Amino acid sequence: MKKRLLAALMAGAMALTMTACGGTNNDTANSDTNGKAGNYKVGVVQLEQHEALDAATQGFQDKLKELVEADGGSVEFDLQNASGDSANCATIVNGFVSGGVDLIMANATAALQAAQAATADIPVLGTSISDYGTALGVDEWTGVTGTNISGTTDLAPLDGQAEMLQELFPDAKNVGLLYCSAESNSAYQINTIKPILEGMGYTCTEYAFTDTNDVASVAQSAANESDVIYIPTDNKAASCTEAIANVVLPAKVPVVAGEQGICSGCGVATLSIDYYELGEITGEMAYDILVNGSNPGEMEVQPAPNFTKMYNAANCEALGITVPEDYTAIEG
């Protein structure tokens, strides 16, 4: 009898030990056994503050919170901004890794690259990324990473943007391509759209600035030598639209932009996406990872579902530009 009792006690002790070892140090990491949502901590690193990135972050938070809470769980966000400094992105992400967050949302290319370098285990979702192959150093991009990373892309059809430029400025000869040389995704866009525009008969010249210190002088060179300027989806340009506008508007040189935020600041037209909507899609992906156990490495990077021709009414009026009826005015 004593032997049987001792055996039962030992078995119970082993079961408790196995339960403890099989768990996680972070008790918020998984959904419960009924498939409902648990309690999660999500780190959000945003490269810098401007309209497009802010909207994507807000859409992500709103959608993930909505879905998790509707499923009986909760989510806590640790939102940090790197103030445009790639080194800050690395510091922030390393803090998330040390803190044991359940998922990292990286908003913009430098933030995603920092997350890629910091962890191969914690799920990472990028947003506002133009090209994942370029951002992650993948030569033959297939749409999935096969790692702990997935996300959404903000890249609008570059051929469509070129067609828009041609539609609005068919008589232009020289197109200036203005972008930040420190942004690899901007270089990708320029390398893609440049031959398209040249095939349309335009002469294209690249004008690359390095940071906020030389953006005005480089923009001035572009304005002096161009009939129209194209700016891709570029985070640094998006944070410097006032400086660019102060150059191009007095020079009467129109800017076609890769996204709505840049167009609002210094452009006349764009084929753009809704960044809040892009953030919502990223939030849905996060829910699938956190609650449903989806593998980010097997999730295809998702594009924006809608693209809209938009125009800046004030800048168009100032430059005497009339846009076709199928363009939507940017509000505000």
Side-chain angles (χ1 to χ4, degrees):
M1 181 67 179
K2 290 182 178 179
K3 289 182 178 179
R4 286 199 297 270
L5 178 59
L6 180 60
L9 291 172
M10 291 178 65
M14 289 177 66
L16 288 172
T17 302
M18 290 175 67
T19 300
C21 292
T24 173
N25 291 330
N26 183 355
D27 61 5
T28 68
N30 300 302
S31 57
D32 67 27
T33 56
N34 295 320
K36 296 294 184 179
N39 303 310
Y40 309 102
K41 185 172 183 180
V42 174
V44 178
V45 53
Q46 182 174 313
L47 175 61
E48 58 191 316
Q49 184 173 7
H50 65 69
E51 181 179 343
L53 298 188
D54 292 347
T57 292
Q58 192 63 58
F60 171 78
Q61 291 179 286
D62 290 349
K63 178 56 68 173
L64 181 56
K65 186 172 185 288
E66 171 196 332
L67 293 173
V68 168
E69 290 184 352
D71 208 16
S74 66
V75 58
E76 175 188 352
F77 295 101
D78 184 356
L79 174 59
Q80 298 196 40
N81 193 296
S83 302
D85 190 332
S86 300
N88 288 343
C89 287
T91 301
I92 291 167
V93 172
N94 286 331
F96 291 159
V97 173
S98 298
V101 298
D102 301 311
L103 182 141
I104 296 170
M105 196 281 268
N107 194 344
T109 299
L112 182 65
Q113 290 170 333
Q116 180 191 32
T119 178
D121 301 314
I122 298 173
V124 174
L125 289 175
T127 194
S128 311
I129 311 295
S130 298
D131 180 66
Y132 278 76
T134 301
L136 300 176
V138 179
D139 292 331
E140 297 183 6
W141 176 244
T142 63
V144 296
T145 67
T147 67
N148 61 319
I149 299 174
S150 189
T152 54
T153 174
D154 62 353
L155 185 62
L158 293 168
D159 54 352
Q161 293 183 14
E163 289 168 1
M164 168 182 282
L165 188 149
Q166 185 182 46
E167 177 181 44
L168 295 174
F169 307 105
D171 298 326
K173 303 298 182 184
N174 299 305
V175 176
L177 306 173
L178 181 64
Y179 67 102
C180 179
S181 59
E183 297 209 18
S184 57
N185 278 326
S186 296
Y188 167 81
Q189 293 173 77
I190 293 300
N191 291 336
T192 302
I193 200 170
K194 184 176 181 179
I196 298 174
L197 290 169
E198 289 174 339
M200 294 175 171
Y202 296 106
T203 299
C204 297
T205 304
E206 296 182 25
Y207 297 89
F209 59 92
T210 57
D211 53 33
T212 56
N213 294 319
D214 65 340
V215 62
S217 61
V218 176
Q220 187 65 65
S221 296
N224 291 342
E225 299 164 7
S226 307
D227 302 313
V228 58
I229 292 172
Y230 172 77
I231 302 177
T233 302
D234 184 295
N235 291 309
K236 190 58 66 178
S239 67
C240 298
T241 56
E242 183 177 358
I244 297 171
N246 288 339
V247 171
V248 299
L249 293 179
K252 301 294 184 182
V253 178
V255 169
V256 173
E259 57 94 5
Q260 179 179 336
I262 296 174
C263 188
S264 295
C266 63
V268 295
T270 182
L271 180 63
S272 189
I273 67 169
D274 184 329
Y275 276 83
Y276 183 86
E277 185 176 46
L278 191 72
E280 287 185 306
I281 296 170
T282 317
E284 292 170 354
M285 296 176 73
Y287 174 84
D288 281 339
I289 292 169
L290 293 171
V291 180
N292 297 330
S294 295
N295 180 355
E298 297 175 354
M299 301 171 73
E300 279 200 39
V301 168
Q302 296 296 307
N306 302 301
F307 302 95
T308 305
K309 288 182 176 182
M310 309 187 80
Y311 73 101
N312 182 321
N315 287 351
C316 285
E317 182 178 358
L319 299 181
I321 297 169
T322 301
V323 299
E325 293 183 357
D326 61 337
Y327 283 64
T328 300
I330 297 173
E331 296 181 0

